[in-house]
Structures are given as C-alpha cells and as structure tokens.
Amino acid sequence: MVQVKGGIDDLALFGGARAFEQNHRVGRPNPIVRERFLERLNRALDTEWLSNMGPLSEEFEQRVAELAGTRHCVSMCNATVALQMLVGDPGTGAEPGDEVIVPALTFPATAHAVAWRGLRPVFCDVDPVTGLIDPDRIPELLSPRTRAILGVHLWGQACDVPRLEKIAAEAGVRLFFDAAPAVGCTHDDTQIGAFGDAEVFSFHATKVVNSFEGGAVVTNDDALAERLRQARNFGFTSDGTVGLVGTNGKMSEAAAAMGLTSLESLEETIAHNRANHRTYLRALADVPGVTPYDYGLRHRNSHHYMMVTVEPEQAGLDRDLLLRVLHAEHVLARPYFSEPLHRMKPYAGAAPATLPGAEYLCRRLLALPTGPAVRDEDIEIICDVVRVAVAHGPEITRRHAARA
Ligand SMILES: *Cc1c(COP(=O)(O)O)cnc(C)c1O
C-alpha cells in the first residue's frame, strides 16, 4: 500500500497517513545465510571451544587479513577496546597526559579510547564537505607531547592517507586509523586496512560486516601485532608468563561464527547498497538543499551509509525538522552526527578554538535508511517525502514554530 504524497497535509506530521506501516531504520543488520552461521555455531558447541583464540576466530582473522591486505589481523571483542589497546600500546611510548590528535567529527568512541588510556584527545577540525580530518589543521596542533594521529575513515571515505603519512613521519609520531566504518572500502585501488602503523575495524551489529560485537586491529607491524595479541589476553605471552599490562579483549567463537558468515555476504551487500545509492542520487537530484554524499569514483565505498546534508537556506527547513517529518512517516533517519566531540560534556573546553567545519556539518548531516532490505520502491517513497517537505519547507517551518 503506497501512500503518495502530494501536498503538505499528506505528511504524517500534519495528520496524513504514514508512508510506511513498518519502521525503516538506519543500521539494520545486513542479511546473512542463517544456516551457515548455525552450522558454525554448532561446530563450536560440539567441540566445546567457545572462546580464547579458537579455530573460528583464527579463520576470521585470516579472512580479514586477506581482505585488508595485511600480514596480521588481531581480532577483538569490539573496536573501542581495539582502539584502546592500540593507542596505549607500549611501542607508542605514550605517558599519561600525552596527546593523540583525533578529528572533532566522529563517533565518540574514537576519543573515548584515547581518554580511557589516560591520554588527551586533541580535536582537529574536519573538511566541511567530506567530514574527514583536515590535514592542513594538524601542524598547529602538534606539540612535544603528541604521540599519535588517529584519523577516521568516516562513512567509509578514505582519509587523505599520503598527506597524513607525510605529516606523521615528519613529526615522528605514530599514525593510526579508526577504520570502524570502512570495512570493504578502498583508498584509490588499495583496500583500507594497510595504511599507517595500524587500522581498526568494527564488526558491530550495525556495521557492514557484523559479528554481533567485534573488532580487529590490522597491521603489517609484526612486533605490534604480537604485543596486541598479548594485550587482548591479559598480557600472557606464549610461554604463559605475563609480559605487559593486558585486558580481556578477545573475540568469542560465536562472534567469529557470525563474522565469517557475514563476510561471505559482503560483496552482495555492497552491490545492493551501491544500487540503492544510485537510486537515492537520482531521486534526490531535483531536491534543492538536500545533497547526497556522492563518494565519487576514485575510492571504492561500501555505500553502507546513505548520508545527505540539509542546507536550511535552500531546503526551507532544517535538518532537525526534516528528521521529524521523516520519523512521522516511520522513516527512522538519523542525525549522524549531531554534536562535535569538543562540544560533548567530557570534552567541553578541550578544543582551543571553534572548529567551523565540524560545527557546520553537525547541524546538517542526515543518514537515510539503506541496506539490502531497502527496496527501490521504498527509496522512491522516502525521497517523495523529502521532496514534498522541501517543496513546503517554509510553510512546515512556520507551522512547526506555531505549534511549539
Ligand atoms: C562504530 C564505530 C566505533 C565503535 O565500534 P565498536 O565495535 O562498537 O566498539 C568507533 N569508531 C567509529 C568511527 C565507529 O563508526
């Protein structure tokens, strides 16, 4: 049952019938072949090997290292713990209070991992178009206490890797990447995973490849990989002694069973997402002020995040109001992200100045539903809602203000 939107009173926000009976969410788990997962899970149950570097997590590490093109993959319980272990790695030489440069626009875990290790996140502004860490702003943030730069491949877009590598090498600091949202994406033709000193993937349920909860560090640094293997397992070395301060960051066999199964669907998922992206680009082409991220052709994206910016001057309504319009239709779009990290309570006052790129984007970003469960027809309806909202933007803004 398709509810065609013609005028403002057809919008559910103003009493019209909802466009969808069921919610369309952002971050739905991507489909898997359930039998494959259950077969693997049964194997773990039969062998009674449920955690601690079992055969499934070892196989998962091999597959992820192949994908990333790295010698090592160290699987972890999630990406946040993986980031904590990486920035606190003894090889980084960081003492409490030392600094790690992070972008101001990212998921808070990027900065939390730094702070959790007693280090200080130093927030760098981002490019106001891509949202990626702006290399031009890094030199002024470097200090004698800087130990690392932690770039984020936001929404699977590759950072400016060559420039970051040059800056980090000249400054003599480590270069890490939070590649949590970038599994299956590339920089030029090179898979994300092998850049800098190490990169971190997330396999959280909402990510393109999921292991319920999970993460990994991928690297070509043999010594770093060995220390991380110890760190995730209470610091135990191969001879059973404790070599360093460790934690429990291991991936369970159930998680690895899911991760392996999810990896098998990655190409199909990306193909579906890419087709969805094309449909969105076409359907939103004539909507002023609502601009989808194109991602371009240079780098390969997984298209797992269907990001748009809403420019209130042109759209006639702002991002938050468009969000309300969509939610009323059961389209659970998300303001992704709505606050830069240096404005969040734990980090308020941490940035030396305003960071205009991050602040500009935070008021405009919107993630729309995508994934293999979203069909072309759904996208057409979602975009119809957006089109009608923008066609009546000033009127919706007035009516909404009058209600409040
Ligand atoms: C998802 C995400 C994380 C956190 O990953 P978890 O596996 O849930 O800990 C960290 N950073 C970024 C940029 C993310 O998108």
Side-chain angles (χ1 to χ4, degrees):
M1 189 181 46
V2 174
Q3 182 62 45
V4 179
K5 302 286 177 184
I8 185 169
D9 292 310
D10 295 330
L11 294 173
L13 189 65
F14 299 110
R18 293 188 145 117
F20 298 101
E21 285 172 16
Q22 307 256 316
N23 283 325
H24 274 287
R25 298 173 187 283
V26 171
R28 258 174 99 170
N30 284 324
I32 54 154
V33 180
R34 191 179 293 213
E35 291 68 31
R36 301 274 297 162
F37 167 64
L38 293 174
E39 184 264 320
R40 290 185 164 111
L41 193 60
N42 276 326
R43 227 188 299 157
L45 293 170
D46 289 343
T47 57
E48 300 185 344
W49 198 339
L50 305 186
S51 190
N52 288 25
M53 291 69 78
L56 290 168
S57 77
E58 292 210 334
E59 188 185 345
F60 184 61
E61 290 185 342
Q62 272 173 26
R63 294 283 164 274
V64 172
E66 278 164 20
L67 177 69
T70 52
R71 271 205 301 286
H72 304 281
C73 167
V74 185
S75 62
M76 305 272 186
C77 56
N78 61 53
T80 306
V81 166
L83 284 166
Q84 283 171 19
M85 274 187 265
L86 190 57
V87 296
D89 170 66
T92 303
E95 302 285 339
D98 279 351
E99 298 167 1
V100 177
I101 295 174
V102 300
L105 185 77
T106 175
F107 190 64
T110 314
H112 289 343
V114 173
W116 198 257
R117 293 308 299 258
L119 307 173
R120 201 165 78 79
V122 173
F123 296 106
C124 183
D125 203 9
V126 299
D127 181 287
V129 176
T130 62
L132 295 171
I133 192 166
D134 182 354
D136 288 334
R137 299 273 73 82
I138 294 180
E140 66 213 52
L141 301 175
L142 289 166
S143 88
R145 300 208 72 173
T146 308
R147 290 292 166 269
I149 298 167
L150 175 53
V152 180
H153 303 302
L154 208 57
W155 312 309
Q157 306 172 101
C159 289
D160 188 342
V161 173
R163 285 203 55 207
L164 293 176
E165 283 180 339
K166 190 162 177 287
I167 293 168
E170 281 170 10
V173 302
R174 293 232 159 189
L175 176 62
F176 301 132
F177 290 102
D178 178 345
V183 172
C185 304
T186 72
H187 179 282
D188 289 329
D189 293 326
T190 309
Q191 281 289 329
I192 283 173
F195 297 115
D197 292 285
E199 305 206 49
V200 171
F201 289 144
S202 171
F203 305 109
H204 182 258
T206 55
K207 299 293 207 267
V208 69
V209 172
N210 110 71
S211 65
F212 297 104
E213 290 272 3
V217 179
V218 283
T219 181
N220 285 317
D221 181 333
D222 301 341
L224 172 62
E226 178 52 31
R227 287 192 300 272
L228 291 169
R229 288 198 176 96
Q230 294 173 16
R232 75 169 168 193
N233 189 30
F234 312 101
F236 284 119
T237 63
S238 51
D239 64 14
T241 60
V242 170
L244 46 76
V245 177
T247 183
N248 183 357
K250 301 186 301 293
M251 173 177 269
S252 76
E253 289 292 276
M258 184 64 161
L260 280 165
T261 310
S262 178
L263 262 181
E264 289 171 348
S265 298
L266 176 61
E267 283 310 313
E268 210 178 311
T269 298
I270 291 177
H272 204 122
N273 285 343
R274 188 181 296 124
N276 279 357
H277 194 152
R278 273 198 295 267
T279 305
Y280 268 115
L281 287 177
R282 186 167 33 71
L284 291 174
D286 61 346
V287 182
V290 177
T291 311
Y293 274 70
D294 184 342
Y295 299 134
L297 296 172
R298 182 176 158 199
H299 311 301
R300 181 187 192 229
N301 198 287
S302 68
H303 302 267
H304 182 66
Y305 302 92
M306 185 55 229
M307 302 303 305
V308 303
T309 54
V310 182
E311 191 56 63
E313 295 285 296
Q314 293 164 33
L317 79 176
D318 66 15
R319 186 268 317 270
D320 292 341
L321 194 46
L322 182 57
L323 204 57
R324 278 174 185 269
V325 169
L326 288 164
H327 279 206
E329 306 289 350
H330 278 166
V331 178
L332 302 190
R334 294 187 54 190
Y336 198 58
F337 304 96
S338 59
E339 205 181 14
L341 269 61
H342 65 288
R343 298 278 174 221
M344 291 177 180
K345 194 174 155 203
Y347 305 114
T354 59
L355 302 173
E359 279 157 40
Y360 172 89
L361 271 179
C362 275
R363 291 192 296 272
R364 288 167 175 77
L365 289 167
L366 191 63
L368 294 170
T370 188
V374 177
R375 304 161 309 163
D376 268 359
E377 307 89 274
D378 302 324
I379 295 171
E380 299 291 353
I381 296 169
I382 292 167
C383 294
D384 275 348
V385 170
V386 173
R387 189 174 300 105
V388 170
V390 168
H392 303 279
E395 166 81 10
I396 294 172
T397 303
R398 260 194 309 279
R399 283 206 205 176
H400 184 69
R403 276 181 182 183

